[in-house]
Amino acid sequence: MKTAHCTTLAALMIAGSLAAAQPGTAVAAEGHQLFLRSAVENADFTETTLPIFEGRSQGKTVWYVVTESSNHVDANHRRVNFAPKLANAKGTAAAQQGRYVNGVLEFAATVDFTPDRVVVPGPGGFPPSAFTPGSVGEAGYSPLVALPDGTVLNASHISDGTLLHDKVLAIDYVARTATLAETEGFYEGDVVYYLSFESSHPMAAALEAATFAPNLNAAPGLGANDGTSARAGIVAFVNGQTGVSNPNRQGLNSALLGEGGPRNIVQEIPQNVNKGVAVYSPMWDMHLAAWRSDQIALGLNVLQGDFETISHLAEQGLITAPDGSPWGPTGFIVNCPVISLNHNHKG
């Protein structure tokens, strides 16, 4: 694994969902629900182990994971999340072409894992004073792969056989597994766990220890969460409360100060439907959020755990974009597959 010139990995992980659960979705007695059935999480939900697959790109070996499929039968067979909205990325730069040759998936483009990741926190944490992504996609790279039968997979490249994606904690090429760092966030007040693989923005890629993949921004549906979109929303605060033991701690500022993860808020989880449309997508449409200064002065910038509640606060003008303009989609994507959720933990 490459050396990261930054504070601890855990501190810098950011971002930076059918009418019933998809087949095989399990809810444990204690309320923990695993969506990505190919995943094995550790006891405190800080790590997950996934199967890895050997592929080819331009004659080179690549190793990748699969976390979503746009085809329901295929998703069930692979034990991955069903995300039909990913099919909306076909025909755009957000989905590269792939094909199976003798059972091996061939990709048009892959990832350069040689750069060293650099993140230098700013005076207040966010924004960072310097940043460099630790891996960069080639010109045609996207984790979204359109197969000849029309299926679109979310198949992130995590190794070239020597160098690794910065979220990989351990890899076993014989057993064909990789263990990756999870990120904790919120969905409707419950704790949700997800992985971060790519971002279309270089700063977000650096902060998330993810691959810079600008082609993802061609995915349709900026600010939309309907059947024509390939995206769903995520919120990251830039000026939440700080303090390691503060229960209201939240935000990229806190994460960059080394206090823990940013505790982002996701709009959808893999079982969600809206008007008959399965609306989950791992292509998170980033919504950076800033508390208004008077709310901070009054101590009202408390922990948030629900996307719609944040939308209502924004309608009242209490939350804005970081530059003070109206809150909304910031204009870049982070690829964050949802692993699981704890129903009995409230934010």
Side-chain angles (χ1 to χ4, degrees):
M1 186 178 295
K2 296 168 294 183
T3 301
H5 302 285
C6 54
T7 55
T8 63
L9 176 63
L12 295 175
M13 290 190 296
I14 75 162
S17 276
L18 310 158
Q22 65 187 61
T25 299
V27 181
E30 70 276 13
H32 186 74
Q33 185 170 6
L34 179 68
F35 298 115
L36 185 62
R37 293 178 294 133
S38 62
V40 178
E41 298 177 288
N42 67 347
D44 58 359
F45 312 117
T46 58
E47 302 175 5
T48 191
T49 299
L50 295 177
I52 62 172
F53 304 93
E54 184 176 0
R56 297 284 186 275
S57 180
Q58 305 161 69
K60 300 176 291 187
T61 296
V62 299
W63 293 89
Y64 65 97
V65 296
V66 178
T67 53
E68 278 84 17
S69 174
S70 67
N71 180 288
H72 190 265
V73 173
D74 182 66
N76 197 43
H77 174 73
R78 295 176 186 270
R79 300 171 60 84
V80 300
N81 294 328
F82 175 47
K85 287 168 63 174
L86 295 183
N88 294 323
K90 284 188 295 186
T92 75
Q96 66 168 309
Q97 296 298 309
R99 61 174 186 158
Y100 283 99
V101 177
N102 298 322
V104 176
L105 185 55
E106 292 195 349
F107 301 85
T110 186
V111 173
D112 177 7
F113 293 104
T114 59
D116 280 337
R117 174 171 166 253
V118 176
V119 177
V120 180
F126 186 88
S129 59
F131 58 87
T132 302
S135 51
V136 178
E138 295 175 345
Y141 175 74
S142 172
L144 299 183
V145 181
L147 301 179
D149 68 357
T151 299
V152 175
L153 301 178
N154 188 15
S156 294
H157 295 193
I158 62 165
S159 172
D160 61 7
T162 302
L163 300 175
L164 305 177
H165 189 289
D166 285 310
K167 279 292 175 63
V168 176
L169 303 174
I171 194 163
D172 187 330
Y173 297 107
V174 176
R176 300 203 168 200
T177 61
T179 300
L180 304 105
E182 286 189 358
T183 300
E184 179 184 294
F186 292 105
Y187 169 74
E188 293 188 351
D190 288 328
V191 175
V192 68
Y193 302 96
Y194 59 89
L195 300 172
S196 299
F197 286 112
E198 288 91 6
S199 177
S200 63
H201 193 286
M203 182 172 69
L207 294 181
E208 293 187 18
T211 296
F212 177 41
N215 285 358
L216 280 181
N217 228 33
L222 179 68
N225 185 34
D226 56 26
T228 68
S229 173
R231 309 183 185 208
I234 187 170
V235 180
F237 281 91
V238 300
N239 61 351
Q241 292 190 25
T242 59
V244 173
S245 60
N246 180 358
N248 284 305
R249 183 193 71 77
Q250 185 171 46
L252 301 181
N253 55 327
S254 171
L256 278 161
L257 291 172
E259 297 176 344
R263 311 178 88 183
N264 297 334
I265 306 95
V266 303
Q267 188 176 19
E268 305 293 351
I269 54 175
Q271 66 181 17
N272 286 4
V273 262
N274 183 17
K275 298 180 180 178
V277 176
V279 288
Y280 165 75
S281 172
M283 298 293 110
W284 295 118
D285 197 6
M286 179 58 72
H287 292 58
L288 292 177
W291 288 98
R292 205 171 67 189
S293 59
D294 63 328
Q295 300 299 292
I296 297 174
L298 293 169
L300 298 178
N301 59 330
V302 294
L303 179 71
Q304 298 297 308
D306 177 65
F307 192 96
E308 291 305 314
T309 299
I310 295 166
S311 297
H312 294 320
L313 290 170
E315 289 171 359
Q316 300 170 54
L318 305 178
I319 289 170
T320 68
D323 63 1
S325 62
W327 177 79
T330 306
F332 64 87
I333 281 176
V334 287
N335 177 20
C336 295
V338 172
I339 307 301
S340 63
L341 177 144
N342 275 355
H343 289 278
N344 57 343
H345 292 98
K346 297 297 181 181

